[in-house]
Amino acid sequence: MEESNNYGHQHPLLLIVNQDQLIHNQSDVTDCSRCGEKVSAPCFCCAENCGFYLHKVCAEAPLELNHPFHPHHPLLLMQNAPYSDGVYACNFCDKKDDKFVYHCSCCELDLHIKCALFTFNVAENNLKELEHVALQHPLISTENGDEKLKDAAKCFGCWEPLAKYTHFSPDCGSNLHEKCAKLPFKLNHGCHRNHPLVLQFSIQQFSCKICEEPDENFTGFVYGCSPCKLAVHIECVSASLDLGVEDKNHEHHFTLFPRGSSFICDACGEEGSYASYICCTCNTMVHKKCTSVPRIIKSKWHDHRLFHKYFLRIEDFRVLNCIMCNDEVSTDHGNYYCSKCDVIFHVKCALKDKDSYEIVENEDEESADVSSITKVLGWNDAGEATVLEHIMHIHHLTLSDRVSEYVNKCCDGCLLPISNSFYYCTQCDFFLHKVCVELPKVKHVWYHHCQSQLVLTSNEVFWCEACGFLSNAFSYKCEDCKVRICLPCIIALTPGSRKYRGHKHSIFFYHKNKGGCVACGRDFNGLWCCKECNFSLDHKCYSLPITSHHKSDEHLLSLTYHDDNSYSESHFCDICEERRDPNFWFYHCAICDTSAHVNCVLGKYRYLKLGSIIEEPKGMHEHPLTVVKKIYYYPNCSNCGKPCLDLALECTGCNFIVHVRCPP
């Protein structure tokens, strides 16, 4: 050991040149006072044994560093980052620290000491300085589902998995592929002929000149041109030098066509500005990323498989609007479509969220049968099933359109009044709308974020996740989180173009729109909207029944969309006797001239059917339970002991009753 200057420390320092000396000198594991990493030789230690240690490389770090990857301003070595809490995130390795930092106040660039010096040697192509850093072969597996492991096993230069190539793993923890360490500092590239592209740190958001995708990492390396303020992913620079691409989703070979002019990609319909790939056989031109567009996907936005096509005949479709964004889809370019129904998607919409779809690898594999109709026993001339068997009922169901014969009946699937075509059971009091019969037994929905599918269930009392109403209608239940969604919400939240009752234009579902509902006046996120007029409707109001009964009136009440009576004294609810807004929807009896709020007519239990029996009340009781509403006699709840003043579940075979709100 030899004595050296104290590098700002109050005591003299001793230089430790090998690890054995360090182990002999240490009483415990210690950290470097500048970089915060575990100390290793060569390093300095305090001659007075006060516990101060300093890596030799940290001690000799220059106070000002002119870094090739950050050429416009020097990096200053600071004891603390100039932020209120003194904490910074390194722009190279993305790890947070409160120790010494190389900082650029103009660009707000922050680097650990070791990251700054490590990348300096890379920039200078001074790989001899990295000889002490062992090259590791790709042994790290990223197949483990742990996200932290995946992040730790990525190259900090290109952010590709570290396991792909041999790499450096220096003490600073900044894993770097050997190929990234050997990237040329400057290069001339066809995507930007005015100036050379210079390797530099990624410190701000940008869109890549080649792939036009935004940078998501804000760390690592990019190639950029500072005078022209453009940047390119390093992987795009390498990929664009590939003269040909084989794509398993396309039968022919794609060839690079490096022209600077803009083009419209035939695979996705979006504009490109530089490197296109062409198929001379099919006469198509695509982005590099679009050479691998999945041919078949299964999306949460639709029940059937979606197929990618480069061109479609316009007459194949009635509506050419993407059901996700509702903008027109050009059939001159690529899109995703459903071969079973009139549904079409922009490629960018269908593939925007990786969690909303899965790729179907085997095109010949039969798609699972998800129909809830188990057997069809008869057909009519229009191709409709007239008699069928359904998974939710034990008897045959028969098609009918005789609505007037069943005025007081409701659908057992959604608990809305029977209307239009419906199926009924000739042996018992069971009805299903045609649309409810045709719903699949399993499905994914775009607004539920679990990856598990939803399964059609019945015979349960539940709170709907989408509308918040208590219900014992049919529902779709998530196998993972056990969330349930009622059928009215499933139908009302299925996107697309529809005709809605008396409205003269088609309406479209905009899942990101926020605005006021014409029916109730409240603001919502996600609305059915008309492109032609100022019409917007929340999904809960979308499902309002056209007619309804109420004990205050002997006649059917009709849903009315606007009160033409200008006499303000008539703008009251005849049920609650409170004022109502004539601009919002209400129920009205033309015979008695009575009007009422929607909620007053339908009530808070509009999706609960009194008298219905829950055959297997799991976790509640060993016998079937009946949905009842006590009026004169209020027995105590078998769960909480309080009187059942409202809806309850009652066992007719024994003295058991519970509130519907009491947990099992």
Side-chain angles (χ1 to χ4, degrees), residues 518-536:
V518 297
C520 64
R522 295 193 295 270
D523 287 340
F524 295 96
N525 286 318
L527 294 163
W528 285 94
C529 298
C530 176
K531 295 182 178 181
E532 307 295 330
C533 60
N534 189 24
F535 179 91
S536 55

Side-chain angles (χ1 to χ4, degrees), residues 196-454:
L197 296 179
V198 180
L199 194 64
Q200 55 192 257
F201 293 117
S202 174
I203 59 174
Q204 61 186 4
Q205 187 175 12
F206 69 92
S207 291
C208 174
K209 173 72 173 177
I210 294 178
C211 72
E212 299 182 340
E213 291 292 316
D215 178 62
E216 298 177 351
N217 298 313
F218 297 94
T219 50
F221 295 147
V222 296
Y223 276 104
C225 175
S226 298
C228 299
K229 297 182 179 179
L230 63 86
V232 179
H233 295 126
I234 59 174
E235 62 270 24
C236 289
V237 169
S238 301
S240 65
L241 299 177
D242 296 335
L243 297 180
V245 176
E246 292 286 351
D247 175 26
K248 64 180 181 180
N249 297 318
H250 190 73
E251 57 186 327
H252 308 126
H253 191 81
F254 281 108
T255 305
L256 176 65
F257 186 65
R259 295 292 300 272
S261 58
S262 62
F263 66 96
I264 301 298
C265 174
D266 287 316
C268 69
E270 297 296 306
E271 186 177 359
S273 60
Y274 168 63
S276 63
Y277 284 78
I278 60 173
C279 173
C280 297
T281 306
C282 300
N283 193 26
T284 56
M285 180 179 290
V286 301
H287 296 115
K288 171 70 167 72
K289 62 180 180 180
C290 291
T291 58
S292 57
V293 166
R295 171 165 160 69
I296 309 173
I297 62 171
K298 185 69 183 71
S299 173
K300 283 188 174 184
W301 287 79
H302 193 60
D303 291 330
H304 307 133
R305 288 178 171 185
L306 300 176
F307 290 78
H308 180 264
K309 288 289 184 181
Y310 285 92
F311 310 102
L312 283 174
R313 295 193 307 273
I314 292 180
E315 58 266 25
D316 287 346
F317 289 88
R318 175 177 53 84
V319 177
L320 292 174
N321 294 101
C322 171
I323 69 167
M324 290 180 67
C325 70
N326 297 306
D327 290 336
E328 185 177 352
V329 180
S330 172
T331 54
D332 292 336
H333 303 289
N335 50 68
Y336 279 101
Y337 81 103
C338 174
S339 59
K340 295 184 178 181
C341 49
D342 290 347
V343 168
I344 193 167
F345 292 75
H346 290 120
V347 172
K348 66 175 182 179
C349 293
L351 304 182
K352 184 176 182 180
D353 182 3
K354 293 181 180 179
D355 293 329
S356 70
Y357 71 92
E358 58 185 35
I359 299 173
V360 178
E361 299 288 355
N362 187 357
E363 183 176 348
D364 297 327
E365 181 181 343
E366 290 289 332
S367 57
D369 181 17
V370 296
S371 175
S372 55
I373 300 172
T374 56
K375 190 176 183 180
V376 177
L377 303 174
W379 302 87
N380 61 17
D381 294 339
E384 297 175 307
T386 54
V387 182
L388 55 81
E389 295 177 357
H390 196 272
I391 61 171
M392 307 306 284
H393 194 62
I394 58 174
H395 305 135
H396 296 167
L397 299 179
T398 303
L399 180 65
S400 175
D401 57 2
R402 304 190 306 272
V403 179
S404 59
E405 297 180 17
Y406 304 98
V407 174
N408 297 323
K409 300 300 182 180
C410 66
C411 170
D412 286 272
C414 63
L415 292 185
L416 295 174
I418 287 297
S419 60
N420 301 323
S421 296
F422 62 93
Y423 288 87
Y424 70 100
C425 178
T426 58
Q427 301 183 51
C428 61
D429 192 30
F430 184 86
F431 298 83
L432 282 178
H433 288 125
K434 186 172 182 289
V435 67
C436 295
V437 163
E438 293 170 348
L439 287 170
K441 60 186 176 184
V442 294
K443 73 184 284 116
H444 289 280
V445 292
W446 60 268
Y447 45 90
H448 185 64
H449 300 296
C450 285
Q451 294 304 306
S452 178
Q453 61 188 3
L454 305 180

